[in-house]
Each structure stands twice: as structure tokens, then as C-alpha cells.
């Protein structure tokens, strides 16, 4: 009620000249002490406040970017002078021309620099436990909306601030609800036993080149299609026991293909942040620490290759909104850039320890936010000129004839269509040839981005000390889309006679009695799963010759009823051939009933697996510890999938104890304690022996190997030479098995741990088949990224299928559906699920 009265009051005051003074503060508006201990505004309150601010202030405009996965309004607030906001369309046009200066004369460019404003994009709270920035954003916006001092007004004249208080609203709501529920209990401020997003949790900051999630898509649209900002700051929080705040410059390594002016802008801003923080006696600020300038998976990171100066800040966390006390001896370095906790040039004033609260986090963030606004205003013309220069340099890196070609005629044409659509979503320009080939010219503003995503990575082996180990990758080390998607894209010369690319329509004409779908594309599963609910689908288990056609093993045939449902669904680029009838020498496919195991320690791979399976129409049901332990699984499921979770976590609900590292594993409410335990293990064993199919992904294979005593072991476990960081490896596929039907002879698999199998010849009651192996020559193993010691996995098995009792086990020793970024190997998982219902 209070809310409504205040909004009405604020709106009524709009007409008066003194309206700024009556813009309510967030605490007044929400009736809570924002930033106080144990107090948080949830996302809906944050949005309500910004709407009120929009209504009350001519300096604030709320723009809804789209719906989140759970249907919240994802919004940004444009905050600037009244004049700038009234002139928004023109300023956006200038930003667009600066981002793509092709055809501009020197004089025209300089006129745009003169007239334009810096677009400063600030994203907060992508990680929902990192709650402070969503609260700080309200206070900051209020201060900017109401300030009457000349300095603030000057900044708002020079800069259009595009502020997103939370880019994961669903998670923000989940975390604030969990926090409020546990206030005053022993679990207050403790972790939530599930992901803070319907699917991806913390990995929402790994989605920025694949754009699979609604939130990523909406924000990317705002950045690359609508606003074209020159500067992007993403505000995070980190652990509680290290430095108080990270600001740029970044740590090593740096990607050599990013324009150096990106780092010069970033470092200038970062230096001013540290300067203002130190002046305000905020100790513990560090740069050149942990966070590198190389990997493109995160929000503003992807933007580096698109000529945007992207910054990260990380502030030490409290326990959500509950203060935490850090003893002096608990303060530690241990990361890149701070080995021992103590003064260094990048960390001149270590924080001494003590109590740390939500308000501290917000204060550090607020000072850094004001500092970036200050620098952007101060350097307005420089930053616009630099952005223009970066775009020009990107365009000039290649000749106008340099391009990539994505051929229409390829094994997975649907995947190729998907790659083209993804690049277009990224703001990349594409062209189409009359034969359907897609060309991606390199001489365009996002040419560096195109080149980065379409070519293999070679991780720079930077050393900080001579002779010592290299700086290890922050996250993964490879993101070569054609390899991950199983799509062919190659360097080519741009031909003449091209037209602007348009999305391929999903035309599946119903001009036959039955239809054949070429095997091997993951996209086929979308059509098969929808078709199976309406009609019948049959698969060729061996190559077929019929009616003058050769059909490879794995070809799926849909009858007309199934085809009608599939055609209504549609998949652009899908192979779809009318045939007079479904060949008799085929086997019926049945829709598998899939269970997906979900531990109570939020597993991102569980979320991604569920996301991928749902996207492709498998409709998985979640199985928690209790459901597995209850047994009788065969009545409900044909296949059970264990996501990439360690065997300790599956068995006990607790992670493996790190030898050497002191770690405390916080307790969860009793209903979330424990793992599968003995009952769960025997329920799974019973499920398999009586006819079920168990599919284990990556780490969880070790659990299954142990519990079912399989004649398989991890051959890489004991190799001390082997090291790998999320990279793409070559694997040779063994044909002639339902799990590998339709896959090419060679696939690119994503691997991020020391895992490869040795098998042992079993007894006559068991069959074991190696489905894929790493090449015999170690030099052939790595396709993209970074690894050491490939000898340890050369010739070893990457995936194995076994029969156990009446059932089956599939061990996929690589990341077959990693972060939904590896469609090229989705068929391993999908085929394993279909295998569960085969004869
Ligand atoms: Zn974070």
C-alpha cells in the first residue's frame, strides 16, 4: 500500500519545478533501511523503485529488455541529463556510427565525437549471491536523479549511464527468498542447495558467446543491437577472506588479438577507481589479481573482441546481508597476483581484518561506480575517439575479400544454419550466396570477434617467474564454435553476387507419405521427439539401400503423422527427404522416459543438462537423493542420467576434502543433507540389472565404475604430467553402435579434466564397446585450447558402452553437453537415451 501512495505522490509532483527534491529515496519508498544488516530488497522491489524513479525524475528512464526464464521483467535504467534523454534517438545513432565508422570522413567522424556522449553500460548482480550491487544501484540512481551540484550535472551531460541493477532477476528473487526464510536460524546467510537460476546458476557468466539463456539474449540485444556502448562495467563479489576489492588492470594473460586501446581505457578507469577508494580510506584494493584478460565467456569479456572497453570489479562478500567477521590470520592471498597476503605495489594497503558487512560492499561499489562515471565524463571525447579507432582498426585488419564461408552443403546443415543465426544475434554481418552458402566478411567492426570464435585457440604460455609454471587459464581455454558445434566453417575469398543474409526459414514440406532425416545432427532430436508424440519414428540400425537411395545407419524415418508434428515445430536447415514409405528394415524408436539426478549441492552441469534435454524435447524428470534411494526406478524411467558431479558428492552430498587446503563445508538444513548413500547406490544397481540404462557424464563415470564394479578405469587418474583446461580434443568414433550411429568418424570433444578410460576384457555375460578413442599419436590429440601431457590419454577410450545384467551403462568421459555449447557431441547423449528403449 505504502508503495502505491508514494508512486502516486511522486507522479503528482512531476509537474512542479522542485520535483527533484521530492524523488523518494529507496529506503523511504520501500519502507526498509536499504543496505542495513540483514535487509535486502528483492528484484520486484528494485524494479518498483526504478519505476517510481522513472515517474518522478526526468533523468531516469526504465526500459524493459525482455522476460527472464521465469517471466520477470529484465530492465535497464537509462540515467543522464534531461537533454540527453530527450535526445536519445540521435545519441544512439551516433553510438552506432562510432561502432561502425565505415564510410565516415575524418571531418564527419570528428563531428560525431564532438556531439556524442559516452554510453556507459553497468551490469550488476549477475551472480545472485553477490547481492550488494542490486541494492547499491538504487541508492546510486537516486543520488544521480536528485543531485544539484555542478559536478554531477556535468557528468550526466557527458555520459548516458545504462544501469542494470540485476541481470539475473530470477536468481535474485530465489536468493532473497532463501535468505529471508532462514533469517534468525543457524542457516542465516548460508548457501542455497539449488542453482540461483532455473538452469545455469553461476554459469550464467559463461554463456556470453553461445547466448543460450533468455537473460543473456536480452542483454546482448541491448548491447550489440540497440545501445552500442563504448564502456561496460560488470560488478561482482568474490570470496570473503582475500583482498577487499579487485579493480582493473587485469591479471595475465592478455589476448593478443584485442585492440590495446581497450586495455588503456580500462586501466585508466581502474586507476581512478583505486585512487578514489584510497582517498576515501577504503583499504584492501588490488589490481592485477586472478582475473585475466583472455577468456571471452563472461559478460563484458565477449565485448572486448567487439571493441568495447569492458571492466570487472569484485568486492569481498559478507554472508549475503549478514555481517561476517574475518580474523587476521584467515586473510590470504594464494591467487595470481597475490601469493602472500601483504603489501605490494598492486595492493598497497591491505585490509587488516575485522567485521565486513553488506554496507561495506555497497560503499566500495558506489565509490568505484562514481569513479567510472567521473572518468567517462572527463574523457568523453577520448573514449569516443578510441572506440572509433578500435572499430576502424578491426575493419582494417583484413582485406575486404577476407571471409569465412559456412557451406550450406555439409553433414549438419541445421547446425550450420544455427551458427549463422548465432553470429547474426551477436551483431555480426553475414552475407548469403545464391547456393545457400553463408559468408562472414572479416573486414567489419566485429571481425576480431568472428576470427576468435571461428578459429582454434592457442593459449599464451605466460610465465610470471622465469622457469616456473605458466599462468593457468582462468576458466576454459577453447571456444572454437565450428568444432564445438560439429559444423564446417572455413576461410574463403568473398565472392561477388552476395546478398544480405536472412535467417533460413524452417520449411519442412509435407509432400510425401514419409520422411527421412539424415543422421548426426543434434537438431534431428527436436523433430524426432515431437514426432514420437504424434506418430511413429523408425531408425536404420545399418546402412540401407532403398528406392535408389542410400541411407546411412542412424537415418530416422517419420511417418506422416509424426512428420506433421515435426513440420509444425520446424528446424531451419534441417535435412528432410520425402520417401514413399518407411523402409521395413528399420527399428521403432520410442520416446525414452528420462530421469536426471540432482544433488543438493547446486550442480551447474545438472542445470545445463536439464536445459539441453528440455530444449531438444526429452522432458527429463528430476531425481533427488530421496527419489533415487526410494528405489523402484525401472517403473518410472528408461534412462537415468548422472550429470558431471564428483563421486564423493554423489555418494555423500559433500565434496572431496582437498588435501592441504583448509576448507569448511557449511551445513545445510537436514532435508538437504547427505547423498545417494548405500540405498541410492543399490537402487541404481538394481535399475541397471533389471533393464534400465544409466548414462554417466564426465566425473560421475567414476562413481558408476566403482559402484557397479565395471571393467573400466580412469587411465589418466595417476598421470602427473597430464594437465588440461577446458579444451577441445580430437576423438575417433567407432561406428556400428546405437550410441554412435550417424556421428562422423572424427569428432571434436570438450574436455576439462584428467579423464580417459582403459577397459578390460569382461566375461561372456557382459559386452563392452569403446565408442570413441583419442588418437594414437599424442600430437594429434589437441584441437584447440591448452593441455600438457597428451601421451597420458593418447589411444585411450573417451566413451564406453556396456551391458550389465539386462541393462546398459554409457560412460561419456568428456563434456558431451558442456554449458550447452557443444552441439557437435550432443548426439552421444541423445543416442544413449534412445538406446535405453531399443530392443
Ligand atoms: Zn560473480
Amino acid at each position: 500500500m505504502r508503495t502505491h501512495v508514494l508512486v502516486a505522490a511522486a507522479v503528482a509532483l512531476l509537474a512542479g519545478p522542485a520535483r527533484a527534491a521530492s524523488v523518494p529515496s529507496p529506503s523511504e519508498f520501500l519502507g526498509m533501511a536499504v543496505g542495513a544488516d540483514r535487509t535486502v530488497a528483492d528484484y520486484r522491489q528494485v524494479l518498483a523503485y526504478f519505476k517510481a524513479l522513472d515517474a518522478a525524475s526526468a533523468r531516469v528512464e526504465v526500459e524493459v529488455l525482455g522476460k527472464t526464464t521465469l517471466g520477470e521483467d529484465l530492465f535497464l535504467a537509462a540515467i543522464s541529463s534531461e537533454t540527453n534523454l530527450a535526445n536519445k534517438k540521435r545519441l544512439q545513432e551516433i553510438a552506432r556510427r562510432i561502432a561502425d565508422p565505415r564510410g565516415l570522413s575524418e571531418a564527419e567522424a570528428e563531428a560525431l565525437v564532438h556531439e556524442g556522449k559516452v554510453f556507459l553500460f553497468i551490469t550488476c548482480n549477475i551472480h545472485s549471491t553477490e547481492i550488494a550491487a542490486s541494492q547499491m544501484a538504487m541508492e546510486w540512481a537516486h543520488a544521480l536523479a536528485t543531485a544539484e551540484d555542478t559536478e554531477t550535472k556535468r557528468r550526466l551531460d557527458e555520459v548516458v549511464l545504462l544501469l542494470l541493477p540485476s541481470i539475473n532477476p530470477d536468481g535474485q528473487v530465489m536468493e532473497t527468498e532463501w535468505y529471508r526464510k532462514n533469517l534468525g536460524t543457524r542457516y542465516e546467510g548460508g548457501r542455497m542447495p539449488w542453482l540461483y537460476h532455473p538452469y545455469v546458476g553461476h554459469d550464467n557468466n559463461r554463456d556470453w558467446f553461445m547466448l543460450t539463456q533468455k537473460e543473456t539474449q536480452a542483454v546482448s540485444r541491448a548491447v550489440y543491437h540497440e545501445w552500442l556502448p563504448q564502456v561496460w562495467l560488470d560488478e561482482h563479489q568474490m570470496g570473503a577472506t582475500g583482498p577487499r576489492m579487485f579493480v582493473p588492470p587485469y591479471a595475465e594473460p592478455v589476448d593478443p588479438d584485442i585492440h590495446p586501446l581497450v586495455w588503456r581505457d580500462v586501466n585508466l578507469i581502474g586507476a581512478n577507481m583505486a585512487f578514489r577508494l584510497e582517498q576515501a580510506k577504503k583499504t584492501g584494493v588490488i589490481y592485477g589479481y586472478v582475473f585475466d584478460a583472455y577468456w571471452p565467456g563472461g559478460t563484458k569479456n565477449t565485448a572486448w573482441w567487439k571493441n568495447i572497453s569492458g571492466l570487472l570489479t569484485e568486492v569481498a562478500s559478507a554472508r549475503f546481508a549478514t555481517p561476517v567477521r574475518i580474523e587476521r590470520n584467515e586473510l590470504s592471498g594464494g591467487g595470481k597476483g597475490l601469493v602472500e597476503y601483504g603489501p605490494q605495489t598492486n595492493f598497497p594497503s591491505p585490509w587488516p581484518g575485522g567485521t565486513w558487512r553488506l554496507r561495506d560492499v555497497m560503499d566500495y561499489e558506489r565509490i568505484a561506480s562514481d569513479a567510472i562515471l567521473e572518468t567517462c565524463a572527463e574523457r568523453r571525447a577520448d573514449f569516443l575517439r578510441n572506440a572509433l579507432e578500435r572499430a576502424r582498426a578491426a575493419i582494417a585488419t583484413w582485406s575486404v575479400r577476407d571471409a569465412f564461408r559456412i557451406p550450406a552443403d555439409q553433414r549438419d546443415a541445421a547446425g550450420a544454419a544455427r551458427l549463422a543465426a548465432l553470429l547474426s544475434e551477436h551483431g555480426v554481418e553475414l552475407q548469403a550466396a545464391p547456393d545457400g552458402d553463408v559468408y562472414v566478411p572479416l573486414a567489419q567492426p566485429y571481425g576480431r570477434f568472428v576470427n576468435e570464435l571461428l578459429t582454434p585457440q592457442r593459449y599464451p604460455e605466460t610465465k610470471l617467474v622465469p622457469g616456473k609454471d605458466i599462468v593457468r587459464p582462468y576458466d576454459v581455454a577453447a571456444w572454437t564454435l565450428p568444432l564445438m558445434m560439429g559444423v564446417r566453417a572455413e576461410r574463403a575469398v568473398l565472392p561477388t553476387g552476395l546478398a544480405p543474409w536472412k535467417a533460413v526459414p524452417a520449411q519442412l514440406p509435407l509432400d510425401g507419405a514419409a520422411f527421412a532425416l539424415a543422421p548426426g545432427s543434434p537438431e534431428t532430436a527436436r523433430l524426432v521427439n515431437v514426432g514420437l508424440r504424434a506418430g511413429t519414428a523408425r531408425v536404420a540400425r545399418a546402412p540401407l539401400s532403398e528406392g535408389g537411395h542410400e541411407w546411412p545407419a542412424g537415418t530416422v524415418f517419420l511417418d506422416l503423422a509424426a512428420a506433421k508434428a515435426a513440420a509444425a515445430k520446424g528446424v531451419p536447415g534441417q535435412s528432410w527427404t520425402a520417401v514413399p514409405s518407411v523402409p521395413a528394415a528399420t527399428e521403432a524408436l520410442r520416446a525414452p522416459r528420462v530421469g536426471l539426478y540432482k544433488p543438493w549441492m547446486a550442480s551447474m552441469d545438472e542445470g545445463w543438462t536439464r536445459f539441453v534435454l528440455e530444449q531438444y524435447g526429452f522432458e527429463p524428470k528430476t531425481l533427488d537423493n530421496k527419489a533415487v534411494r526410494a528405489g523402484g526406478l525401472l517403473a518410472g524411467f528408461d534412462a537415468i542420467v548422472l550429470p558431471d558431479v564428483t563421486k564423493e558428492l554423489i555418494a555423500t552430498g559433500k565434496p572431496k576434502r582437498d588435501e592441504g587446503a583448509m576448507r569448511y563445508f557449511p551445513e545445510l538444513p537436514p532435508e538437504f543433507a547427505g547423498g545417494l548413500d548405500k540405498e541410492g547406490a543399490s537402487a541404481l544397481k538394481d535399475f541397471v540389472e533389471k533393464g534400465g540404462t544409466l548414462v554417466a557424464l564426465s566425473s560421475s563415470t567414476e562413481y558408476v565404475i566403482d559402484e557397479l564394479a565395471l571393467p573400466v578405469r580412469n587411465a589418466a587418474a595417476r598421470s602427473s604430467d597430464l594437465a588440461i583446461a577446458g579444451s577441445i580434443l580430437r576423438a575417433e568414433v567407432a561406428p556400428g553402435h546405437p550410441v554412435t550411429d550417424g556421428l562422423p568418424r572424427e569428432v571434436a570433444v570438450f574436455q576439462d579434466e584428467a579423464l580417459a578410460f582403459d577397459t578390460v576384457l569382461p566375461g561372456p555375460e557382459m559386452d563392452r564397446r569403446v565408442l570413441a578413442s583419442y588418437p594414437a599419436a599424442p600430437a594429434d590429440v589437441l584441437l584447440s585450447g591448452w593441455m600438457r601431457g597428451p601421451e597420458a590419454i593418447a589411444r585411450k577410450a573417451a566413451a564406453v558402452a556396456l551391458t550389465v545384467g539386462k541393462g546398459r551403462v554409457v560412460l561419456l568421459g568428456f563434456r558431451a553437453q558442456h554449458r550447452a555449447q557443444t552441439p557437435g557431441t550432443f548426439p552421444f547423449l541423445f543416442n544413449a537415451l534412445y538406446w535405453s528403449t531399443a530392443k
Side-chain angles (χ1 to χ4, degrees):
M1 289 314 283
R2 189 180 159 82
T3 303
H4 289 124
V5 172
L6 277 164
V7 174
V11 173
L13 281 160
L14 246 180
R19 66 180 177 274
S22 59
V23 175
S25 76
S27 292
E28 286 165 354
F29 179 81
L30 296 172
M32 58 163 62
V34 170
D37 290 352
R38 299 182 172 80
T39 306
V40 276
D42 63 41
Y43 182 80
R44 292 159 195 162
Q45 292 174 307
V46 174
L47 172 56
Y49 179 66
F50 272 90
K51 282 183 175 164
L53 215 46
D54 177 333
S57 166
R59 294 184 196 163
V60 179
E61 247 183 61
V62 168
E63 181 184 321
V64 174
L65 305 179
K67 292 285 183 197
T68 66
T69 308
L70 296 181
E72 303 286 344
D73 282 334
L74 177 55
F75 77 96
L76 69 72
I79 303 175
S80 193
S81 69
E82 202 169 332
T83 318
N84 285 345
L85 289 185
N87 202 20
K88 186 174 89 175
K89 286 279 167 263
R90 170 66 186 154
L91 294 177
Q92 282 181 327
E93 177 55 25
I94 294 170
R96 186 173 300 280
R97 295 299 282 128
I98 285 174
D100 182 1
R102 282 175 290 185
L104 281 183
S105 72
E106 216 32 70
E108 286 165 334
E110 200 43 45
L112 292 179
V113 166
H114 184 75
E115 187 189 350
K117 306 294 173 186
V118 170
F119 283 5
L120 167 59
F121 203 80
I122 299 190
T123 45
C124 302
N125 186 230
I126 183 173
H127 294 145
S128 307
T129 47
E130 302 164 14
I131 194 68
S134 68
Q135 315 293 300
M136 179 280 295
M138 293 190 287
E139 292 186 342
W140 192 31
H142 176 252
L144 295 173
T146 54
E148 289 304 330
D149 63 290
T150 49
E151 174 57 20
T152 306
K153 284 166 119 177
R154 187 185 65 85
R155 291 178 189 178
L156 294 178
D157 273 338
E158 305 287 349
V159 179
V160 178
L161 169 62
L162 304 161
L163 180 61
L164 290 83
S166 176
I167 55 170
N168 178 14
D170 296 345
Q172 207 274 6
V173 170
M174 291 179 195
E175 284 287 354
T176 47
E177 279 176 359
W178 174 255
Y179 181 74
R180 288 169 180 172
K181 182 179 161 213
N182 289 295
L183 263 179
T185 73
R186 61 191 283 146
Y187 308 110
E188 176 179 316
R191 72 188 163 84
M192 203 166 67
W194 49 82
L195 295 166
Y196 50 61
H197 179 272
Y199 296 113
V200 301
H202 191 273
D203 267 359
N204 58 3
N205 204 28
R206 306 290 181 262
D207 189 43
W208 294 81
F209 59 83
M210 205 65 194
L211 310 183
T212 66
Q213 301 299 309
K214 285 188 167 184
E215 297 79 12
T216 327
Q217 292 162 358
V219 174
S220 291
R221 234 175 3 251
V223 173
Y224 303 121
H225 292 272
E226 194 187 351
W227 286 96
L228 289 306
Q230 298 85 29
V231 183
W232 182 348
L233 164 64
D234 196 32
E235 304 205 20
H236 286 249
Q237 288 172 228
M238 55 186 175
T241 57
R244 293 302 91 189
M245 185 174 198
F246 163 83
V247 300
Y250 291 99
E252 299 298 334
V254 61
D255 186 291
D257 296 325
I258 296 166
H259 197 289
L261 273 175
V262 165
W263 310 126
R264 298 304 185 187
D265 285 11
V266 162
N267 296 351
L268 190 65
I269 295 167
N272 192 45
M273 287 175 169
F275 175 78
R276 291 296 183 204
L277 284 155
E278 205 67 54
Q279 277 189 326
K281 300 190 170 56
K282 301 296 179 193
T283 58
V285 177
I286 193 166
Y287 69 85
Y289 171 73
V290 176
F291 309 99
D292 72 22
Y294 179 73
W295 156 82
T299 49
K300 80 299 162 189
N301 305 45
T302 315
W304 297 329
W305 284 267
K306 297 181 181 177
N307 314 315
I308 295 173
S309 298
L311 294 96
L312 168 75
T313 55
E314 298 265 357
V315 182
S317 296
R319 207 162 252 160
F320 210 70
T322 300
V324 64
R325 185 178 163 75
I326 310 295
E327 302 295 351
R328 193 177 62 174
N329 76 90
E330 291 162 0
L331 287 164
S332 61
K336 201 163 41 176
L338 186 71
V339 176
E340 298 293 338
Y341 192 90
Q344 303 183 160
T345 47
N346 65 338
F347 187 55
S349 56
W351 183 68
T355 300
W356 189 250
R357 38 180 33 105
L358 174 65
R359 175 48 72 188
D360 293 315
V361 187
M362 289 168 65
D363 286 350
Y364 276 64
E365 288 175 341
R366 172 68 182 281
I367 293 166
S369 299
D370 272 322
I372 192 172
L373 183 61
E374 178 185 21
T375 311
C376 287
E378 210 67 63
R379 296 289 184 166
R380 185 196 60 80
D382 278 326
F383 281 3
L384 294 181
R385 219 173 268 124
N386 287 358
L388 195 121
E389 170 55 29
R390 293 190 292 262
R392 278 186 175 154
I395 295 161
T397 304
W398 290 276
S399 95
V400 291
R401 304 287 305 280
D402 287 333
F404 277 91
R405 182 172 79 106
I406 307 172
D409 181 15
Q410 58 173 301
R411 199 186 58 82
D412 182 4
R418 224 181 138 210
L419 174 59
L422 171 61
L423 291 172
S424 170
E425 212 178 328
H426 268 292
V428 170
E429 268 177 31
L430 307 172
Q431 301 196 353
D435 60 3
D437 287 358
V438 175
Y439 285 86
V440 193
L442 277 161
Q444 61 170 307
Y446 294 173
R448 292 171 196 267
F449 174 78
V450 171
N451 192 55
E452 184 68 24
L453 272 290
L454 297 187
T455 55
Q457 276 68 51
R458 286 289 170 263
Y459 182 72
E461 299 209 331
T462 313
K463 291 179 179 179
L464 296 182
V465 179
K468 293 285 182 198
D469 196 8
I470 62 155
V471 172
R472 294 297 178 89
Y474 175 73
D475 186 79
V476 300
W479 34 83
T480 316
L481 289 179
L483 292 175
M484 292 160 83
M485 298 178 77
V487 166
R488 199 151 51 84
E490 61 218 4
R491 280 296 295 269
V493 173
L494 207 61
T496 52
L498 300 178
W501 174 88
K502 281 197 211 77
V504 185
Q507 274 169 355
L508 305 177
L510 293 165
D511 54 353
F515 298 85
L517 277 56
S521 171
E523 301 306 310
T524 305
R526 295 185 202 265
L527 302 182
V528 171
N529 284 337
V530 70
L532 277 173
R533 287 179 178 93
T536 63
R538 298 180 69 86
V539 61
R541 285 293 177 211
L544 264 183
S545 182
E546 185 143 324
H549 249 106
E550 301 292 327
W551 305 109
T555 303
V556 176
F557 296 89
L558 302 180
D559 73 0
L560 190 58
K564 277 183 179 162
K569 172 101 187 155
V571 167
Q574 174 66 41
S575 95
W576 179 264
T577 313
V579 292
S581 64
V582 175
T586 48
E587 186 181 304
L589 278 178
R590 277 204 299 120
R593 298 166 305 158
V594 180
L596 176 61
Y597 173 65
K598 178 184 188 173
W600 288 131
M601 184 152 125
S603 158
M604 287 179 278
D605 195 57
E606 180 277 328
W608 283 117
T609 308
R610 188 158 35 83
F611 174 74
V612 167
L613 293 180
E614 285 180 10
Q615 290 294 303
Y616 286 84
F618 283 97
E619 302 182 359
K621 289 206 170 65
T622 293
L623 282 168
D624 63 15
N625 291 317
K626 202 172 140 194
V628 176
R629 286 195 299 244
L633 298 164
L634 207 54
F637 302 99
D638 300 301
I640 291 175
V641 180
L642 300 180
D644 176 37
V645 177
T646 63
K647 65 177 179 185
E648 292 82 3
L649 193 70
I650 298 174
T652 67
K654 289 182 185 171
K656 189 175 173 174
R657 273 185 76 92
D658 251 345
E659 287 138 44
M662 289 242 300
R663 270 261 164 79
Y664 183 83
F665 185 69
E667 198 183 308
L668 279 173
E671 62 268 39
F672 305 114
L676 284 186
D677 306 321
K678 279 213 171 68
E679 306 99 282
S682 59
L684 283 181
K685 200 169 175 185
D686 184 61
F687 170 72
V688 173
E689 277 170 355
K690 291 186 175 152
T693 296
L694 187 57
V695 183
L697 303 179
S698 218
S699 293
S700 71
T701 56
E702 301 198 52
Y703 177 81
V704 174
I705 290 168
D706 284 1
E707 292 298 337
L708 299 184
L710 300 177
V712 183
R713 63 168 190 158
N714 179 7
R718 275 172 292 274
S719 166
S720 56
D721 298 332
L722 178 63
I724 186 161
S727 292
I728 303 170
L729 310 183
R730 181 182 273 118
E732 295 158 357
V733 175
H737 190 280
V739 176
T740 57
D741 274 350
L743 280 161
R745 293 304 290 265
E746 188 180 299
V747 290
V749 302
F750 198 87
Q751 181 59 287
D752 62 359
E753 63 181 304
L755 181 59
F757 303 118
D758 269 332
T759 58
V760 174
L761 179 65
E765 75 285 5
M766 178 183 273
D767 184 28
R768 55 86 197 83
R769 288 283 296 278
V770 169
L771 301 172
S773 308
Y774 295 110
D780 292 341
V781 174
L782 182 67
L783 284 171
S784 180
W786 179 80
M787 82 180 296
R788 201 174 59 197
E791 295 77 10
I793 64 167
R795 221 171 55 89
K796 303 294 181 191
V800 180
L802 305 99
T803 61
V804 177
K806 290 183 181 162
R808 293 152 181 170
V809 172
V810 178
L811 307 173
L812 299 179
F814 50 87
R815 306 295 305 274
Q817 70 337 336
H818 182 247
R819 296 174 177 167
Q821 292 167 358
T822 55
T825 51
F826 290 176
F828 280 98
L829 173 60
F830 298 169
N831 287 346
L833 299 178
Y834 290 126
W835 190 36
S836 72
T837 60
K839 285 197 298 280

